[in-house]
């Protein structure tokens, strides 16, 4: 386990260095040069460089910093390790991995250009996720008992995700049609639609993470449930929307 923890800390420190560098360049209004000839500066200064009003580099720095701090503490004080802490850390790595997929999607289909540093950060998030899952496997850590014990909270989280996802997508569609009445989208209207889109993505992330939490303890029963399969179709429709 020590090797796994050291790899996670090393990866987190590299990720922290990258996000701090992006923060400095962005807020000092300096050009961020890509090491592989991509257009990093355009990406970090685009409309998608923040999420819910907060710069993406700040989210990244907080995540990598906390991961490095907590796993470093566990290396020197292994007695602090417990099932709930490992559950939270593994859940955080899953959430960060899914968020990195979203950011890669944004670069590919919305910004339509690439940032090498951002892709490296996404790769580091993926590596931390893989190391965390390997660590959980080695220690024979199981989510099932915790998910079963706190099922009511997972259900509430799942309902919140659906409320944000379905509500955000519906409101976004209504506003989009309303804004198009004059056959143009203003900057202010674009910003509103972008905010609603981000709220939908938050809802989708919560739905996926909490959905996995509900699925694992009762996987056999749910796979035979028409209600569960219908819900999966609804989630797919939201994602396509």
């Amino acid at each position: 386990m020590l090797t796994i923890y050291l790899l996670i800390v090393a990866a987190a420190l590299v990720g922290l260095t990258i996000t701090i560098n992006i923060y400095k360049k962005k807020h000092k209004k300096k050009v961020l040069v890509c090491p592989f000839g991509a257009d990093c500066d355009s990406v970090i200064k685009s409309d998608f460089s923040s999420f819910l009003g907060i710069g993406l580099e700040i989210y990244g720095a907080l995540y990598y910093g906390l991961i490095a701090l907590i796993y470093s503490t566990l290396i020197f004080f292994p007695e602090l390790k417990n099932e709930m802490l490992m559950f939270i850390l593994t859940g955080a790595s899953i959430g960060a991995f899914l968020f990195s997929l979203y950011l890669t999607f944004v670069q590919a289909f919305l910004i339509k250009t690439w940032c090498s540093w951002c892709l490296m950060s996404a790769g580091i998030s993926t590596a931390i996720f893989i190391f965390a899952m390997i660590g959980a496997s080695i220690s024979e850590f199981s989510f099932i008992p915790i998910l079963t014990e706190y099922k009511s909270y997972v259900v509430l989280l799942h309902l919140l995700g659906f409320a944000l996802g379905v509500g955000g997508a519906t409101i976004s569609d209504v506003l989009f049609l309303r804004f198009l009445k004059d056959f143009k989208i203003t900057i202010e209207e674009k910003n509103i639609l972008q905010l609603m889109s981000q709220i939908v993505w938050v809802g989708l992330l919560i739905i996926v993470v909490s959905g996995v939490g509900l699925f694992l303890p009762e996987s056999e029963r749910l796979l035979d449930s028409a209600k569960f399969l219908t819900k999966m179709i609804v989630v797919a429709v939201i994602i396509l929307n």
Side-chain angles (χ1 to χ4, degrees), residues 103-179:
L103 296 179
T104 303
F105 167 86
V106 167
Q107 290 182 72
F109 298 103
L110 299 180
I111 304 177
K112 297 180 180 179
T113 189
W114 297 100
C115 168
S116 302
W117 295 112
C118 303
L119 292 177
M120 279 190 262
S121 179
I124 291 169
S125 293
T126 303
I128 292 175
F129 163 69
I130 293 172
F131 293 146
M133 297 306 295
I134 293 174
S137 176
I138 293 175
S139 62
E140 298 183 348
F141 169 72
S142 175
F143 288 110
I144 306 302
I146 294 177
L147 292 172
T148 302
E149 182 179 355
Y150 294 96
K151 180 179 178 180
S152 58
Y153 295 102
V154 179
V155 170
L156 288 175
L157 192 63
H158 200 60
L159 292 175
L160 173 63
F162 260 95
L164 290 174
V166 177
T170 302
I171 294 173
S172 181
D173 287 345
V174 171
L175 289 176
F176 180 70
L177 293 174
R178 181 177 179 182
F179 292 159

Side-chain angles (χ1 to χ4, degrees), residues 1-2 4-5 8 71 74 78 81-87 89-90 130-143:
M1 288 302 296
L2 178 61
I4 295 295
Y5 288 177
I8 291 175
Y71 276 100
L74 290 177
K81 178 182 175 181
N82 57 69
E83 286 192 348
M84 181 55 72
L85 178 61
M86 298 313 297
F87 176 78
L89 288 173
T90 307
I130 293 172
F131 293 146
M133 297 306 295
I134 293 174
S137 176
I138 293 175
S139 62
E140 298 183 348
F141 169 72
S142 175
F143 288 110

